[in-house]
Amino acid sequence: MGKKIPYDQALQLGRTEHNDSIYAKENPYGFQINVNHPKIRPLYERYKEKIGERILSDIQRREFENHIFSILKRGKK
């Protein structure tokens, strides 16, 4: 088994900042949309269902993000 750490340290390591934005925080993959946002999640799930995938590839994820950006752009006009 792995190295054990104290409970307090594990709690501190497990804390993450809550992101209320539809935009993702900087990440190593370069994704820009927060798919866990309550307004984005249903769109994300429908998109996955539409293309018949449970897990998206990086290319499919970028296509989804491009779709979201086009929706946002239309809404700002």
Side-chain angles (χ1 to χ4, degrees):
M1 215 146 71
K3 183 179 175 185
K4 293 184 179 182
I5 60 173
Y7 180 75
D8 294 340
Q9 186 180 358
L11 278 178
Q12 197 161 21
L13 290 172
R15 286 192 186 119
T16 58
E17 293 178 32
H18 187 65
N19 184 2
D20 289 337
S21 174
I22 65 166
Y23 299 103
K25 295 183 179 182
E26 268 189 50
N27 60 69
Y29 310 104
F31 297 131
Q32 298 175 326
I33 298 292
N34 176 8
V35 296
N36 293 313
H37 188 276
K39 291 185 179 180
I40 300 296
R41 192 66 183 187
L43 300 172
Y44 182 63
E45 293 300 330
R46 264 188 275 160
Y47 182 81
K48 291 191 307 182
E49 189 176 306
K50 179 181 173 184
I51 64 171
E53 297 288 345
R54 292 181 66 207
I55 299 172
L56 299 185
S57 68
D58 289 351
I59 292 170
Q60 292 167 327
R61 171 74 183 263
R62 292 193 200 301
E63 288 171 358
F64 170 75
E65 289 191 353
N66 288 336
H67 180 67
I68 295 298
F69 287 128
S70 69
I71 291 171
L72 292 172
K73 193 174 185 179
R74 274 187 269 145
K76 290 185 179 181
K77 288 185 179 179

